[in-house]
Amino acid sequence: MTQLFTKDTQAIFWNNNKTAIQRMLDYDYTINRKTPSVAAIVAPTSNNKFERFFMGTDEVMIPLFKTTADAKSTHPSADVLLNFGSFRTAYDVTMEAMDIGGFSTIMVTAEGIPERLARKMNNRARTQGVNVIGPATVGAISPGAFKIANIGGTIENIINSKLHRAGSCGLVTRSGGLFNELGNIISINADGIAEGVAIGGDRFVGSVFIDNLLRMEKNPEVKYMVLLGEVGGTEEYKIIDAMKSGEITKPIIGWCIGTIAKHFSSDVQFGHAGASANADAETAATKNKAMADAGMYVPKSFNDLPAMIKKVYEELKAKGEIEEIIEKELKTIPKVRRTKEFICTISDDRGDECTYAGFPISSVATPETGKGIGDVISLLWFKKQYPKWATQFIETVMKTVADHGPAVSGAHNAKVTARAGKSVVEALVTGLLTIGPRFGGAIDGAAKYFKYADDNNLTPAEFLNYMKKEGVPIPGIGHRIKSLKNPDLRVEGLKKFAKEYFPSTPLLDYALTVEQLTTSKKENLILNVDGTIGILMVDMWRALNYPEFEIDEFVESGTLNSFFIVGRSIGFIGHILDEKRLAMPMYRHPMDDIFYDVQEAEEV
């Protein structure tokens, strides 16, 4: 890896630090990134689905997840983890991320992680080839591409320090505050930085000076490097050895702060945990002399550092190694921004033609497109283009549930209301209001309970016992008329379709083993149409590679019952129109069909 970040880099942000995230998105807007640099936020204690932020004047929604694993599975290309956990949780969060895999860089802001744990964390990262920045860091930046959280300060300071576009200097420091100061110094005396990392102030950090300088040595955008070390530790000597061996050939301007320590009569602990000299070799003065002897550009004092940077920059520019940068016009962050009252993520009517999930209506609505209502539902309900077998299954489900005669409660209500002279809409609503746990609800219930049994590897007998203890009849099992000898042809049709077109049907296969056990007790305890639909919906989503938590959300939110609602609306409307076509009179229930048991009221 020669370049730390690119304009396509995306991060998962652990802990919902809204200010830091907004600063990243303001930077994205300023440098004209196409996609937000934050793909997802892990907020274990939040019940929200997303958080809203600004990209310029427009708002963007960043999804929230309970776990890093869920965020990573949904956003696999996000290969940076920004760990803003406290020192109590930061170690566990980082180790879990390395267990999950797929992260090239992990930044840890927490200060004061126990040193034993920090060493263990850093060793694990090196073994796995993961670049850990920190602990106790403000992060890193690839100007014009990607910046971590608060590094560089406010957007105004970033622009003043020319951190909005790549310069020619590679900057590595321990201190975050001095990183910002040096970024400004380099912008005044040179053309800015090409890449910068504040490695962190704790005694044991992940990527050390040599790791970053060796990468910058290979980065063609970096023409020279600035290293700001400090009193304590011996990491600077690794760079000296690399220069002597020829691994590093680019000019390095180096300085270790803390030279004042030599004037104290006893050891002094400076601000960082690692800023304390335990031997003469760890003092700032000794390290500065060693760096100068090795051929680094080392000023006499920190105050002379700006002049040294300007000298090296102008020498390289005179040789033609650094070219003049043409400054581009920047986007300006608006001073006043207003959040919108409503959010719509499924359709857009602002252009010449309304779109369904980004597709013009004409691209799905006209016959020549070959698209059906299943395609429209996949776009408007799930914001995805489902394959043909899945959209055909959705359509098959809705055709299957469209009607089940005039006697069921929903159709009966719709017919009675129509005969009262009410409109199609009013009559339809009365029918729809009957849909719930006892009418149509078995679809949701079957999906929920059969999925639970399958997820927990329950045998059919264990599943039956579990449902018995729950005191819940098994949703999707049982029929008033149909049985093994008189099967429901709707169920047979759905099973045949699934076996022919689905990639696999593991949950249906499991449900059929349960059916063998229930029908051995009573012939009509078969898998009914509601159960078959609910179970096959889960098989469909699994075949479409939805994560399990998202399928669970579909089940809990009533998505499955929505197919029943849409399908049965067709039948209800049919019954309503039938009543109106026949000009049927007001309905009154026959008295001989009512059991009257009215007692004389007791006097109080």
Side-chain angles (χ1 to χ4, degrees):
M1 180 173 65
T2 60
Q3 197 169 359
L4 193 56
F5 308 120
T6 71
K7 217 165 186 175
D8 295 320
T9 298
Q10 281 194 297
I12 291 172
F13 205 107
W14 203 97
N15 213 355
N16 191 6
N17 188 317
K18 296 179 184 178
T19 301
I21 295 170
Q22 186 59 65
R23 282 188 172 181
M24 290 181 69
L25 298 179
D26 284 344
Y27 185 73
D28 295 343
Y29 177 77
T30 301
I31 67 174
N32 202 27
R33 267 186 65 120
K34 292 180 180 178
T35 55
S37 53
V38 179
I41 301 167
V42 180
T45 60
S46 175
N47 291 318
N48 295 337
K49 297 289 184 182
F50 61 87
E51 196 72 63
R52 286 197 282 177
F53 295 92
F54 284 104
M55 280 277 280
T57 55
D58 294 328
E59 287 182 284
V60 294
M61 296 194 311
I62 308 295
L64 265 61
F65 296 88
K66 291 283 189 183
T67 68
T68 307
D70 288 342
K72 182 62 176 171
S73 67
T74 308
H75 299 275
S77 61
D79 65 346
V80 175
L81 179 71
L82 304 183
N83 182 354
F84 269 66
S86 69
F87 74 92
R88 297 179 185 85
T89 59
Y91 168 79
D92 291 331
V93 169
T94 302
M95 296 299 277
E96 181 193 28
M98 287 190 279
D99 287 338
I100 294 166
F103 292 104
S104 61
T105 298
I106 299 175
M107 188 274 291
V108 184
T109 62
E111 183 177 355
I113 294 176
E115 292 183 354
R116 176 182 60 84
L117 297 180
R119 288 198 300 270
K120 185 177 178 181
M121 179 178 75
N122 297 334
N123 288 337
R124 170 83 176 278
R126 287 190 178 278
T127 301
Q128 291 188 204
V130 176
N131 179 39
V132 170
I133 301 173
T137 180
V138 296
I141 186 171
S142 291
F146 179 93
K147 98 174 185 82
I148 290 176
N150 296 315
I151 196 165
T154 65
I155 197 69
E156 292 79 12
N157 188 67
I158 283 170
I159 293 170
N160 290 336
S161 299
K162 300 177 183 176
L163 295 172
H164 58 280
R165 51 59 170 171
S168 57
C169 175
L171 173 61
V172 186
T173 73
R174 261 192 176 275
S175 165
L178 284 172
F179 179 96
N180 293 348
E181 178 62 25
L182 272 173
N184 187 48
I185 289 171
I186 293 168
S187 72
I188 294 170
N189 295 280
D191 63 359
I193 68 173
E195 185 182 293
V197 181
I199 66 171
D202 275 4
R203 187 176 180 189
F204 297 103
V205 294
S207 65
V208 292
F209 290 139
I210 187 64
D211 299 320
N212 291 286
L213 292 180
L214 286 175
R215 184 186 63 255
M216 293 175 182
E217 172 72 19
K218 298 172 185 175
N219 185 350
E221 300 296 320
V222 175
K223 307 302 180 183
Y224 67 103
M225 280 101 72
V226 171
L227 166 68
L228 188 71
E230 65 184 21
V231 59
T234 58
E235 290 297 332
E236 291 84 356
Y237 293 102
K238 294 178 182 177
I239 301 162
I240 292 171
D241 292 339
M243 292 178 66
K244 289 178 179 178
S245 67
E247 281 187 279
I248 295 179
T249 59
K250 292 178 180 178
I252 300 177
I253 302 166
W255 180 253
C256 285
I257 58 173
T259 52
I260 195 173
K262 65 184 178 182
H263 298 291
F264 292 98
S265 58
S266 59
D267 290 339
V268 177
Q269 171 71 54
F270 287 81
H272 292 153
S276 176
N278 297 310
D280 184 62
E282 295 186 26
T283 63
T286 301
K287 289 196 282 188
N288 283 332
K289 183 178 185 307
M291 291 192 296
D293 292 344
M296 282 191 209
Y297 293 85
V298 180
K300 293 180 180 178
S301 69
F302 184 85
N303 290 338
D304 296 322
L305 193 55
M308 183 70 76
I309 291 169
K310 186 172 184 178
K311 174 178 179 293
V312 173
Y313 167 73
E314 290 183 345
E315 286 177 357
L316 292 172
K317 193 173 180 182
K319 293 178 183 178
E321 293 184 30
I322 296 177
E323 298 178 357
E324 194 72 35
I325 295 175
I326 300 173
E327 299 291 349
K328 296 180 180 179
E329 189 174 343
L330 296 174
K331 290 184 176 180
T332 303
I333 302 296
K335 299 294 184 184
V336 179
R337 297 186 280 200
R338 184 175 67 85
T339 59
K340 305 294 191 296
E341 295 298 331
F342 284 91
I343 300 171
C344 180
T345 68
I346 61 171
S347 61
D348 192 338
D349 58 350
R350 292 174 296 176
D352 293 335
E353 183 180 4
C354 185
T355 61
Y356 295 163
F359 289 85
I361 292 177
S362 59
S363 69
V364 295
T366 51
E368 57 267 21
T369 64
K371 303 293 186 182
I373 194 66
D375 296 279
V376 174
I377 285 178
S378 74
L379 292 173
L380 292 180
W381 289 14
F382 307 108
K383 299 189 289 186
K384 292 183 184 293
Q385 298 180 73
Y386 281 3
K388 195 67 178 175
W389 65 265
T391 59
Q392 285 182 335
F393 174 65
I394 289 172
E395 292 173 9
T396 301
V397 167
M398 289 192 295
K399 288 185 286 187
T400 300
V401 302
D403 190 40
H404 204 205
V408 296
S409 59
H412 177 81
N413 271 18
K415 289 170 74 70
V416 169
T417 308
R419 290 176 66 166
K422 305 295 277 186
S423 68
V424 173
V425 172
E426 291 166 310
L428 174 61
V429 168
T430 62
L432 292 176
L433 288 175
T434 64
I435 295 175
R438 296 182 178 181
F439 178 47
I443 297 177
D444 282 334
K448 175 183 177 179
Y449 285 108
F450 276 95
K451 184 178 184 299
Y452 173 86
D454 186 50
D455 290 345
N456 290 276
N457 299 313
L458 300 182
T459 66
E462 289 172 336
F463 178 40
L464 264 58
N465 287 332
Y466 168 77
M467 296 302 293
K468 188 175 181 180
K469 289 177 182 177
E470 290 287 305
V472 178
I474 302 174
I477 290 288
H479 200 284
R480 192 168 56 88
I481 301 171
K482 301 295 182 181
S483 65
L484 284 177
K485 294 176 182 178
N486 179 27
D488 188 336
L489 295 181
R490 297 175 301 169
V491 173
E492 297 305 306
L494 289 168
K495 290 194 294 186
K496 181 181 178 183
F497 181 94
K499 288 298 181 183
E500 187 172 350
Y501 296 108
F502 276 39
S504 62
T505 57
L507 195 58
L508 175 63
D509 297 339
Y510 175 77
L512 293 176
T513 64
V514 174
E515 183 188 53
Q516 290 175 6
L517 191 57
T518 56
T519 53
S520 68
K521 299 178 180 180
K522 201 172 182 181
E523 276 203 345
N524 71 328
L525 294 179
I526 57 171
L527 186 63
N528 60 35
V529 68
D530 289 352
T532 306
I533 291 170
I535 287 159
L536 283 177
M537 281 290 176
V538 175
D539 277 336
M540 179 188 76
W541 283 319
R542 282 177 169 172
L544 294 173
N545 296 316
Y546 279 92
E548 292 298 316
F549 79 90
E550 199 163 347
I551 298 174
D552 291 335
E553 287 179 355
F554 288 154
V555 175
E556 291 299 323
S557 66
T559 302
L560 289 150
N561 234 25
S562 299
F563 290 103
F564 184 83
I565 292 167
V566 172
R568 191 51 62 95
S569 293
I570 299 170
F572 289 166
I573 292 172
H575 287 293
I576 295 163
L577 297 177
D578 195 36
E579 294 293 331
K580 291 184 176 294
R581 182 168 49 248
L582 296 171
M584 296 299 290
M586 180 78 170
Y587 175 79
R588 179 179 174 85
H589 202 75
M591 294 175 67
D592 61 3
D593 192 36
I594 300 172
F595 172 41
Y596 292 96
D597 184 20
V598 182
Q599 305 293 327
E600 183 176 336
E602 181 182 343
E603 184 178 349
V604 178

